[in-house]
Amino acid sequence: MITFEYIEQEYNKALEHAYGLIPSRNWSSLPTSLVLTDSPRRLGIADERTGEVSINTRYQNTTAYTSLRNTIFHELAHFCVGTHNNHNKVFKRVLSRFTAHFEVDKNELQQLIKQVDFKWHVVAHLENGDVHEIGGVHRKTKI
């Protein structure tokens, strides 16, 4: 099971790996600390202003190991290229370098999604009578 200590260990290993691929002198800004967040919408947050990498508490007490690793690398990629790059080609190129050595197990994401207390649940009612649960959302769309 994932604990805060495990998250810290993975963060330190990921940081070492990322600096090995792209030296810190070439990063837009450097992360300075790791914190937990209970954000309802994000698994991780990179805050260049404070230097914090925030990881969602939903990871704790799960076995979503590769998803956690991917989230850490995702946030580190934001520090590397700068958050102003959002998820553009530059960001994606760096993230793919950081995560080339593993793949996220889709079942792990389901463990995290089950913990989210969504305000709304989307259900599709098809013409043939079938009903499909699409998933949860935090807000209604403007349709």
Side-chain angles (χ1 to χ4, degrees), residues 11-65:
Y11 170 78
N12 290 326
K13 285 194 275 187
L15 198 55
E16 184 179 336
H17 178 75
Y19 285 157
L21 294 172
I22 301 173
S24 61
R25 68 180 175 276
N26 297 333
W27 286 41
S28 176
S29 62
L30 298 177
T32 57
S33 62
L34 172 70
V35 297
L36 294 178
T37 180
D38 60 356
S39 171
R41 296 188 182 133
R42 296 190 173 121
L43 293 177
I45 302 167
D47 188 339
E48 281 186 299
R49 188 179 41 80
T50 63
E52 289 180 343
V53 172
S54 300
I55 300 299
N56 202 298
T57 55
R58 277 187 246 142
Y59 277 110
Q60 291 181 307
N61 301 314
T62 71
T63 57
Y65 300 108

Side-chain angles (χ1 to χ4, degrees), residues 7 11 18 35 49-50 74-75 85 88 102 105 127 129 135 143:
I7 295 170
Y11 170 78
V35 297
R49 188 179 41 80
T50 63
H74 181 106
E75 302 316 325
N85 279 300
N88 68 9
F102 70 92
D105 180 352
E127 287 180 352
I143 294 180

Side-chain angles (χ1 to χ4, degrees), residues 49-100:
R49 188 179 41 80
T50 63
E52 289 180 343
V53 172
S54 300
I55 300 299
N56 202 298
T57 55
R58 277 187 246 142
Y59 277 110
Q60 291 181 307
N61 301 314
T62 71
T63 57
Y65 300 108
T66 57
S67 178
L68 170 64
R69 196 171 301 126
N70 186 65
T71 298
I72 292 170
F73 278 123
H74 181 106
E75 302 316 325
L76 293 179
H78 279 302
F79 276 96
C80 184
V81 302
T83 54
H84 63 279
N85 279 300
N86 294 316
H87 295 130
N88 68 9
K89 289 181 183 179
V90 175
F91 169 84
K92 289 178 182 176
R93 195 173 316 123
V94 168
L95 181 59
S96 72
R97 283 188 71 188
F98 287 175
T99 61

